[in-house]
Amino acid sequence: MTRTRRPALGLRREVLILLPVALLLLVVLSTFTLFSFRNALELLAEERRDEAARLAEGVAGLLAEGGLPSEAELRSLSPQAHGVAVTDREGEALVSAGEIPSSGLLAPFVGDVLAAGPDEALPDRVAGRARFGDGRWVRVDLPAGVLPAQQRGVGVLSVVVLGLNAALLLLVLSFLRHLMAPWETLIERARQMGAEQEPGEGEIEFLLATFERAITATAQARTPEDDIEALERTLSASLQSGLLLLDRAGNVLAFNAVAATLLGIEPPPPGTSLAEALATQPELYTLLESAVADQSAPKRQEISMQTGGEARTLGLTVHPLRRDDGSIRGWLVLFADLTEVQRLAGESRLAESLARLGEMAGGVAHELRNSLATLRGYLTLIERRPDEESIADYLAEIRHEADHLERVLQDFLAFARPGSARFQELSLTRLARRAAADPSLAGMEVRVTSAADICLRGDSQLLERAVRNLLHNAAQAEREAGRNGPVELRIVGMEAGLDGVELAVEDRGPGLPPEMRERLFHPFATGRRGGVGLGLALAHRIVTLHGGRIRLEDRPGGGTRALLSFPRDTIVTIGSETPSS
């Protein structure tokens, strides 16, 4: 069964229907809200009047069995009231307390009404009354609060809201034809273009179809030069960098004002050859001419030039503009002034270097000052008691301090000038075993594990020194924990899924001090008593010199793990498996 399509109403009819409906809903909602607010205020006033009547009834009940109370007694019966009064049947006050009229106290009440206000008679309060005894009345007044102001405000709001709703409806209905005039113009222009509206086709669908046909015709008539001109119009107005647009042959298509300022030349007219436009900047011309001739896009480059009598450094990028088939239709050249950026970067590097130099000098001065103080103390003791047998002990301590100073200076010189690395083929496994056999480890057991004999290109003396420093740190950590090893030294390579080779030194000491984690590889940064703080810094410098990485981390189960990682291109050969030692 064929479904019949409902004829489209068209935008004009939809607006004519939906706009009045929307405005009607707006009027209904605003009116409903207004009257709801008025009803809420009336309910609030009613609750306040009932409260006053209840208070009056309660006071009357308390006075029913006695005589007339005094003013203080009457006030104490209803302390929260604005005023309390006892009247005769004509409304004249017999006793009153608080702020309450002295006569006509029953005038606001009409007939049998027991509560009144706020109104013209009671503009700022509500009042309640109750009969007791032989025709006497009790009247209690309560403050109305903000109720009177809200009642006056809702009256004004009613006039304003209803008036605005009526004016809005009249205004929209009056200008509805003006609102629809542009739409009618579009429909008329579409029909003038020869487009025909299909039967059952709505006005929106008709306009969209006409617009699509116009876009297709425009795209077919557009040339590649139109795209480049559109690109130039878009970028020139928004870019803060220099912009140079070239056609495929290298002729200038666009040259913005920022580029002219940076290069110190006048913007050339479109069609100017690149050689003529950049006659005063031969280095830039050579670079761009080479890119155009080779049909290539050089990577981002920095060039130095003289403009306006001062040297500048420009950052330059060249982007080829390609057609859909991949062929080049032109070139987009962007460049920016990097002179100030490089100056600030140089100043930052200098400040950082001076800060590190100051830190290193402070570390050396600290070590020298402590040792010199110790030496001076022992020399003073020798001068005071030159004939005692303890002089030999003092001399031994002096020799110990001298050895410590020599170690500080050697480590400092090694860190400051590690020397030029002599790269040659070396066995990392044999290097690790030599470092593990260092007598200065003082009997600490070191267990070396290597699945294969891995040969690298590097400086054996420097790498062995780095490994020795790590082993000394691990041995000291073991002693601090009351252990005597073993320190684990493992070598793993690509057989373990690594993209290179890794050497790990593991101990079960107290672990990394929290305060040192951010400064592990800084010179003279140490968390151990008696440490100089150059071992890790020197190891880091040696490993970095070989293109590797060094890091320290917590070992699972306690302790520290130091990892030296070397990239794949340092590996020369991997031999057969060798036993662990």
Side-chain angles (χ1 to χ4, degrees), residues 126 128 139 228 374 539 541:
V126 294
R139 170 175 166 173
I228 295 181
T374 303
R541 186 157 187 181

Side-chain angles (χ1 to χ4, degrees), residues 22-359:
L23 291 175
L24 180 61
L25 288 175
L26 178 62
V27 171
V28 170
L29 288 175
S30 60
T31 305
F32 174 77
T33 303
L34 177 64
F35 282 99
S36 297
F37 183 47
R38 294 185 61 177
N39 290 338
L41 289 180
E42 184 59 34
L43 290 175
L44 185 59
E46 185 66 28
E47 290 179 0
R48 197 66 174 159
R49 289 192 291 268
D50 291 344
E51 182 181 0
R54 288 195 301 269
L55 285 175
E57 186 176 355
V59 174
L62 295 174
L63 298 177
E65 302 298 331
L68 286 176
S70 65
E71 181 178 344
E73 291 174 343
L74 185 63
R75 185 63 177 169
S76 65
L77 294 177
S78 184
Q80 71 271 31
H82 202 57
V84 186
V86 178
T87 69
D88 56 16
R89 65 181 62 196
E90 284 78 19
E92 295 299 326
L94 300 176
V95 182
S96 66
E99 299 179 7
I100 196 165
S102 59
S103 62
L105 297 178
L106 300 181
F109 306 98
V110 180
D112 295 332
V113 175
L114 298 179
D119 50 24
E120 294 182 359
L122 298 172
D124 61 345
R125 65 185 67 191
V126 294
R129 68 174 179 170
R131 185 191 298 272
F132 77 100
D134 52 351
R136 288 181 293 179
W137 295 85
V138 172
R139 170 175 166 173
V140 176
D141 288 12
L142 294 178
V146 297
L147 273 173
Q150 290 181 339
Q151 288 176 339
R152 291 190 298 271
V154 78
V156 176
L157 186 63
S158 300
V159 175
V160 172
V161 170
L162 296 177
L164 286 178
N165 286 341
L168 180 63
L169 287 174
L170 292 175
L171 182 64
V172 173
L173 292 176
S174 299
F175 286 93
L176 191 59
R177 291 183 59 84
H178 297 284
L179 294 175
M180 297 305 302
W183 180 260
E184 294 176 350
T185 302
L186 286 175
I187 295 292
E188 183 63 27
R189 292 296 298 272
R191 288 172 178 159
Q192 290 177 0
M193 293 175 61
E196 296 183 359
Q197 189 171 358
E198 300 292 335
E201 184 181 27
E203 292 178 344
I204 296 178
E205 290 85 354
F206 172 63
L207 275 181
L208 288 176
T210 305
F211 184 66
E212 290 292 340
R213 287 192 292 269
I215 289 179
T216 303
T218 303
Q220 291 176 352
R222 188 173 58 191
T223 63
E225 286 70 20
D226 296 333
D227 292 339
I228 295 181
E229 291 177 0
L231 179 65
E232 188 271 333
R233 288 194 303 269
T234 303
L235 294 181
S236 294
S238 57
L239 273 182
Q240 298 299 319
S241 303
L243 168 70
L244 174 60
L245 273 175
L246 305 175
D247 62 14
R248 182 178 179 166
N251 298 319
V252 175
L253 294 177
F255 198 88
N256 70 350
V258 179
T261 302
L262 291 178
L263 298 181
I265 60 177
E266 291 294 328
T272 304
S273 66
L274 189 61
E276 182 180 352
L278 301 179
T280 60
Q281 302 295 344
E283 185 177 354
L284 179 59
Y285 165 71
T286 302
L287 179 65
L288 297 180
E289 179 65 22
S290 175
V292 173
D294 299 339
Q295 299 286 292
S296 62
K299 296 181 180 179
R300 189 179 186 279
Q301 296 189 7
E302 295 180 3
I303 58 175
S304 300
M305 59 178 56
Q306 291 286 335
T307 57
E310 70 175 307
R312 284 185 177 179
T313 301
L314 298 185
L316 180 73
T317 55
V318 181
H319 304 276
L321 304 177
R322 300 184 182 275
R323 297 186 178 91
D324 294 338
D325 58 2
S327 60
I328 294 178
R329 67 174 62 172
W331 307 86
L332 171 64
V333 184
L334 298 174
F335 42 89
D337 190 356
L338 303 180
T339 308
E340 184 66 15
V341 175
Q342 288 190 342
R343 185 185 67 81
L344 294 177
E347 292 179 356
S348 176
R349 288 193 298 269
L350 177 59
E352 183 178 356
S353 300
L354 292 176
R356 290 186 177 179
L357 180 59
E359 183 180 359

